[in-house]
Amino acid sequence: MTPQEIEALFTRSDDTYAFARWGRPLAPVVFGVDDTTLIVVKSAIEATCQLAGHSMSETDPELGSNLMMFFFKEWSELTEVPDLDRLVPDLTPLVQKLEAAGANQYRLFRFDEAGAIKACFVFLRMDAQLSAMPAQALALGQIVQSFVLWSDAAFREASPLALHEGATILKPEIAALLRAAYDPVMPAVAQDPSHALRLFARIGAVQ
């Protein structure tokens, strides 16, 4: 990847550069899936953590679980989840907005005082499009998009995933970028586009 391509992945629609990675171990919980799918989702989380060199934990001392994934049929179901409105500000207006837009997914990040990710809520309305995806591809794609703060337009044109010998994998360039982003010498938060140059240099150093 060129520095310009890396920069574009973290440049938002308003032309601001915004990068953040997790500042604490992941403590995931998954709602609305059967045991088979749960194994697939947790395997995707473990594989991405191993790739990036990030850690997992049974619980988060502040939140209990800090990566929450919800699978459901209709957005209105979220308003019935006990105490979710305490974790997600303005939950009802958000649900109404997503219903009106016909959205099938939404990710909400929360950040610590330094600006690193401290929580992520992943909402997936299992419409025909998402239901048709293999569980492995759906899980891995969502985890990758929850692992750093990407641009809101990062993967509109091209998926971060690829098929290799019948298996769904991360594209090598995205895998390399995640490894570089979680390199201990790199900052957990960045707002300057020069950060993309540092990521580019780290990718080269690792390879």
Side-chain angles (χ1 to χ4, degrees), residues 7-19 149-157:
E7 183 178 336
L9 289 173
F10 302 106
T11 301
R12 307 191 68 75
S13 298
D14 60 4
D15 291 330
T16 59
Y17 187 92
F19 167 87
L149 184 65
W150 303 96
S151 160
D152 51 341
F155 301 116
R156 283 181 186 168
E157 302 298 326

Side-chain angles (χ1 to χ4, degrees), residues 5 14 24 40 45 51 92 115 131 134 136 157 159 163 177:
E5 288 171 330
D14 60 4
R24 59 182 66 190
V40 173
I45 297 171
L51 167 76
T92 299
S131 297
Q136 183 186 17
E157 302 298 326
S159 169
L163 278 175
L177 184 55

Side-chain angles (χ1 to χ4, degrees), residues 27-77:
V29 64
V30 184
F31 300 96
V33 298
D34 57 26
D35 290 345
T36 302
T37 305
L38 178 62
I39 292 171
V40 173
V41 174
K42 292 211 167 180
S43 294
I45 297 171
E46 290 169 357
T48 309
C49 280
Q50 185 174 16
L51 167 76
H54 194 56
S55 58
M56 294 179 65
S57 175
E58 287 295 323
T59 58
D60 179 271
E62 181 182 351
L63 300 169
S65 296
N66 55 31
L67 174 59
M68 299 186 184
M69 301 184 69
F70 298 85
F71 293 74
F72 49 89
K73 290 291 185 182
E74 300 296 338
W75 286 111
S76 57
E77 295 175 42

Side-chain angles (χ1 to χ4, degrees), residues 1 7 17 26 40 44 62-64 71 73 75 78 81 85 89 98-99 105 119 138 146 151 182 193 206:
M1 300 182 75
E7 183 178 336
Y17 187 92
L26 266 64
V40 173
E62 181 182 351
L63 300 169
F71 293 74
K73 290 291 185 182
W75 286 111
L78 292 180
V81 177
D85 56 344
L98 293 168
E99 283 179 329
Q105 58 185 284
L138 179 60
S146 306
S151 160
Y182 275 84
V206 171

Side-chain angles (χ1 to χ4, degrees), residues 154-177:
F155 301 116
R156 283 181 186 168
E157 302 298 326
S159 169
L161 308 180
L163 278 175
H164 178 68
E165 297 180 351
T168 302
I169 63 168
L170 265 183
K171 288 180 177 176
E173 62 270 27
I174 299 299
L177 184 55

